Amino acid sequence: MSFFKNITLFQNDKFGINVILDILIVSFLIYQFYSTIRRTRGVQLLLGIGLIWLLGIIAQYLEFELLDWIIDNIRPALVFAIIVLLQPELRKITGDMARLKLFRLFLVKQVTELDEIVEAARSMAKTKTGALIAIVREHSLKDISEQAVQLDAILSTNLLLTIFKKNSPLHDGAVIIEQNRIACAGAFFPQMSQNLDDPQMGARHRAALGVTEESDAVVVVTSEETGEISVCYDGEMLHPVKPLELKNLLRTILQERKSTSERKPESEDKSSAEDKND
């Protein structure tokens, strides 16, 4: 209770731009924290800590000396409990903050390791194993990954082959790779509304095109029917892609500075100018 009594945040002589910034920063941190833990076991832990804190207030108000003494001795340990038990959630919060545009200006852009992805795609193409691998660029796929099986595992060929092994529980979903780690597996992407011309292209190819229409992710697809490799980005599909050309193609796409949407207006202006001249 003494904590709230000492707060002088809203006194007239201290209220200014620094107070407004203080409130905005704290509000942002609270929102980031809540949005991260709302669907995890961290919510139950925080409810338990909140209950202990509430009991402490009641014990102090009603002068329950024994209960007040117990809770006062427990409170310091709660800080370490939060740090240890909420370590995955705290790591995720800092990762989300690092992906903000404001902080990207001060960070070295991380290059995705392609060898493990390419080797897994080549192996699955040979065995005609269906796979769907999404590589996150600037736009996060957090809303989709939260509904999938969380992994946060080291990117490796063996793990990708295990995930997409036929008849495995996660075989039909997609893998999302972010910051050189396998963020999740068993993810399901929104599918494009239109049907594909090639009858041998099924749900995986429509899902790959669907997610690339709504984000800037790059998606590698291996066909279960033909064993061919496809690469989707910016709502377009490159098919078929030769296994030996896959790494260079992915490197070129991931290193592109300008999106196709920036190039389209230029081409449209040129075409309109040519029509006027005609």
Side-chain angles (χ1 to χ4, degrees):
M1 296 294 289
S2 60
F3 170 76
F4 295 99
K5 293 179 181 179
N6 294 330
I7 292 180
T8 57
L9 188 64
F10 297 102
Q11 290 184 0
N12 293 331
D13 58 340
K14 291 189 176 182
F15 192 83
I17 187 64
N18 59 329
V19 176
I20 296 176
L21 290 175
D22 190 10
I23 296 173
L24 291 176
I25 292 172
V26 173
S27 301
F28 173 75
L29 293 176
I30 292 175
Y31 171 76
Q32 286 289 112
F33 186 72
Y34 171 74
S35 62
T36 301
I37 70 166
R38 60 179 178 173
R39 295 175 182 173
T40 65
R41 60 182 176 86
V43 175
Q44 298 177 353
L45 177 62
L46 290 181
L47 288 176
I49 294 175
L51 180 61
I52 295 174
W53 177 75
L54 182 61
L55 284 175
I57 296 177
I58 296 174
Q60 189 176 11
Y61 180 77
L62 298 178
E63 298 182 354
F64 293 162
E65 294 183 3
L66 180 58
L67 182 59
D68 188 24
W69 178 83
I70 293 174
I71 293 177
D72 282 342
N73 285 274
I74 290 177
R75 280 172 180 165
L78 295 179
V79 177
F80 296 99
I82 292 174
I83 296 175
V84 173
L85 297 178
L86 293 182
Q87 184 178 1
E89 287 78 6
L90 293 174
R91 184 171 64 247
K92 191 174 182 182
I93 290 173
T94 55
D96 291 341
M97 292 180 63
R99 286 192 291 269
L100 294 175
K101 292 183 179 180
L102 177 62
F103 296 101
R104 286 174 187 163
L105 298 175
F106 306 98
L107 296 175
V108 178
K109 189 172 182 181
Q110 192 173 26
V111 179
T112 304
E113 296 292 340
L114 299 176
D115 291 336
E116 305 291 338
I117 302 173
V118 171
E119 184 62 30
R122 290 175 179 174
S123 178
M124 290 184 288
K126 290 180 181 179
T127 58
K128 292 185 179 181
T129 301
L132 191 60
I133 304 173
I135 305 172
V136 174
R137 287 197 280 183
E138 298 294 330
H139 299 161
S140 176
L141 298 177
K142 181 179 178 181
D143 293 339
I144 297 176
S145 62
E146 284 181 346
Q147 308 296 326
V149 178
Q150 303 297 312
L151 293 180
D152 191 23
I154 297 174
L155 177 60
S156 68
T157 300
N158 290 333
L159 182 54
L160 290 174
L161 294 177
T162 302
I163 292 173
F164 291 111
K165 186 177 180 180
K166 293 180 180 180
N167 300 323
S168 70
L170 302 176
H171 170 71
D172 292 329
V175 161
I176 296 178
I177 296 174
E178 188 169 6
Q179 295 183 339
N180 278 328
R181 296 183 68 86
I182 300 179
C184 66
F188 291 94
F189 298 148
Q191 296 193 4
M192 63 176 298
S193 56
Q194 300 178 353
N195 293 326
L196 297 172
D197 296 333
D198 192 341
Q200 292 182 329
M201 293 185 182
R204 286 190 179 88
H205 297 85
R206 290 197 299 271
L209 287 172
V211 73
T212 56
E213 288 176 346
E214 300 181 4
S215 70
D216 63 349
V218 180
V219 183
V220 179
V221 187
T222 58
S223 174
E224 200 169 13
E225 299 293 332
T226 63
E228 293 178 336
I229 301 174
S230 304
V231 175
C232 301
Y233 71 105
D234 291 338
E236 299 180 356
M237 178 184 294
L238 300 178
H239 173 81
V241 176
K242 296 180 180 179
L244 296 177
E245 299 175 354
L246 180 59
K247 183 177 180 179
N248 291 333
L249 176 61
L250 290 176
R251 184 187 293 114
T252 301
I253 296 173
L254 293 173
Q255 290 178 349
E256 278 186 346
R257 296 292 182 181
K258 296 182 180 180
S259 63
T260 55
S261 59
E262 292 176 345
R263 300 190 187 112
K264 287 180 180 179
E266 296 179 0
S267 60
E268 291 176 357
D269 293 340
K270 290 181 181 179
S271 60
S272 60
E274 292 176 356
D275 293 338
K276 290 180 180 180
N277 293 332
D278 293 341

